Amino acid sequence: MKLQRKNRLRALSLGVVAVSGALALTACGSDDTSGGPSGDKSKDSSAAAAPSASSDIDCSDAKGELLASGSSAQQNAIDAWVKAYTAACKDVRINYSPDGSGAGVTAFLQGRTAFAGSDSALKPEEITKSAEVCKDSQAIDLPMVGGPIAIGYNVPGVDNLVLDAKTLAHIFDGKISSWDDKEIKALNPDAKLPSTKIQAFHRSDESGTTDNFTKYLKAVAPADWKYEGGKAWQAKGGQSAQGSSGLAQQVKQTAGAISYFELSYAADGIKTVDIKTKAAEPVKATTENASKAIAAAKVAGKGKDLALELDYNPSADGAYPITLVTYEIACEKGNKADTLPATKSFLNYIASEDGQGRLADAGYAPIPDAIIAKVRETITALS
């Protein structure tokens, strides 16, 4: 007999609930078990667990295990969401493995997961291939999490640092090798820059964070960043690490290091670069400043696909240019019957006012109202 239950919860306090079900939050690489920021007590996702004004979790027909994987950028957000959701919907077990955007999309297209998380929208060929798992339909991109890609650095004696796209391109392409380089000095005339060697770290795995960071370099400094871009790092030289947590760890422990990762990973004293844009003042990496940039995004997807086109070269004051949007990827139609109720139930919750309201405290930017309203409508129609 089909189990039906509907729970409407108000003022849900996560401080007193336990997670029900398995969470495979192992960090972006399969060998990275530090958990990134969730393994860092100072940035534990429970910090995002403060109750909001309203919670609307509908468990109707939702049951069983929901497998998903992908973006490690949204790891803290998923952690907080799952705690809230599984406390209400005790018949659902959610297993999200943050193996990286590339691995998540691959697993979804092979029919191994109910949905995927990706920091880059699906490519046309991936949408075409999705027809193999989405019967008589295709996969669609649902923007769910926004945020700044912070440029973290470890330069002893330098507490404030300003860089621009051109200088970042030269640093990550190995054309600037020491922190007292004249190009960096020109942007930081009052800083006491040491002659310390620059240690630039990039992702070793395919990553939507890499894709968005290099899109920024390519869009703003095309003469200085000649690489095609994508989820795989293409520039020569530098050093690599697995996952955003791996990059953050390298910056934390290596004098002279610089790298790129989501703001939620810039914990335990990791300093972040202010980015010089066309605005009057350099812009700090904050969720509020990322939201200003994302608000100017345009929907570029066709039909029900809500892929966004970001402006990596904003001129508005306070708009942080290096941003990403993490998408949940699901079938528009043709979802598996045994997981569809739980998929819709969980996605409806994370797109809700309460779900989005938990993002800022975890270091993320909520999706702007006009866009998230379309996401909610689209989720309701999934079949």
Side-chain angles (χ1 to χ4, degrees):
M1 184 174 184
K2 195 173 184 180
L3 175 64
Q4 296 187 5
R5 181 175 63 180
K6 181 175 289 186
N7 291 335
R8 298 281 184 180
L9 300 182
R10 303 293 175 187
L12 179 63
S13 174
L14 293 182
V16 296
V17 297
V19 178
S20 171
L23 282 179
L25 296 175
T26 58
C28 193
S30 60
D31 61 344
D32 183 353
T33 57
S34 63
S38 63
D40 178 350
K41 299 304 180 184
S42 69
K43 284 293 289 182
D44 191 287
S45 60
S46 62
S52 58
S54 67
S55 178
D56 194 356
I57 302 177
D58 186 347
C59 307
S60 294
D61 300 329
K63 60 182 179 180
E65 184 174 27
L66 198 60
L67 297 178
S69 66
S71 165
S72 66
Q74 66 173 352
Q75 177 176 348
N76 276 351
I78 289 285
D79 196 2
W81 284 332
V82 171
K83 284 183 179 180
Y85 180 82
T86 55
C89 303
K90 298 185 183 300
D91 291 327
V92 180
R93 300 181 307 280
I94 299 175
N95 188 327
Y96 180 84
S97 183
D99 300 323
S101 298
V105 170
T106 296
F108 176 80
L109 294 178
Q110 291 175 346
R112 294 190 279 118
T113 54
F115 68 90
S118 177
D119 305 321
S120 298
L122 291 168
K123 299 176 182 177
E125 60 268 26
E126 291 171 335
I127 292 177
T128 299
K129 185 174 177 57
S130 71
E132 297 175 12
V133 293
C134 304
K135 297 179 180 178
D136 301 320
S137 183
Q138 67 175 47
I140 54 176
D141 298 286
L142 301 170
M144 203 69 74
V145 181
I149 299 174
I151 307 300
Y153 71 96
N154 180 349
V155 184
V158 180
D159 294 328
N160 297 289
L161 185 67
V162 175
L163 297 174
D164 58 13
K166 178 181 178 180
T167 307
L168 283 168
H170 289 169
I171 287 173
F172 282 92
D173 200 20
K175 295 178 180 177
I176 294 178
S177 59
S178 65
W179 281 107
D180 61 350
D181 186 272
K182 62 181 181 180
E183 197 170 328
I184 300 176
K185 283 183 176 180
L187 292 167
N188 300 273
D190 298 326
K192 295 181 179 180
L193 296 165
S195 59
T196 305
K197 180 181 178 182
I198 293 176
Q199 306 279 356
F201 287 87
H202 57 266
R203 288 280 286 269
S204 60
D205 54 325
E206 288 199 358
S207 163
T209 312
T210 293
D211 189 19
N212 283 277
F213 176 53
T214 55
K215 279 180 179 176
Y216 160 74
L217 297 178
K218 189 174 177 64
V220 186
D224 303 282
W225 192 259
K226 299 291 189 178
Y227 303 98
E228 182 179 347
K231 293 177 183 177
W233 185 260
Q234 296 174 345
K236 306 299 181 183
Q239 302 178 64
S240 64
Q242 181 86 4
S244 291
S245 59
L247 294 182
Q249 184 62 28
Q250 290 296 333
V251 170
K252 186 177 176 181
Q253 68 187 20
T254 307
I258 185 170
S259 191
Y260 57 94
F261 35 75
E262 297 74 35
L263 182 62
S264 60
Y265 288 84
D268 264 3
I270 294 179
K271 301 179 182 67
T272 60
V273 172
D274 295 349
I275 303 298
K276 180 176 176 57
T277 67
K278 292 185 291 186
E281 298 294 332
V283 185
K284 294 186 177 298
T286 68
T287 57
E288 180 181 4
N289 290 344
S291 290
K292 292 178 181 178
I294 295 171
K298 299 177 181 179
V299 175
K302 298 179 180 179
K304 297 295 184 180
D305 186 84
L306 297 176
L308 300 179
E309 181 180 324
L310 297 173
D311 180 3
Y312 292 103
N313 194 19
S315 57
D317 290 339
Y320 185 77
I322 320 175
T323 58
L324 63 75
V325 170
T326 300
Y327 300 91
E328 313 309 334
I329 296 169
C331 292
E332 179 182 355
K333 299 177 181 178
N335 289 277
K336 294 179 180 179
D338 58 338
T339 58
L340 177 60
T343 298
K344 291 182 66 173
S345 176
F346 181 65
L347 293 181
N348 267 317
Y349 167 62
I350 67 179
S352 71
E353 181 180 351
D354 182 66
Q356 290 289 299
R358 298 179 186 274
L359 291 176
D361 286 340
Y364 301 97
I367 299 300
D369 290 344
I371 299 173
I372 202 65
K374 295 179 181 179
V375 172
R376 293 167 186 156
E377 292 176 5
T378 304
I379 293 171
T380 301
L382 296 180
S383 63

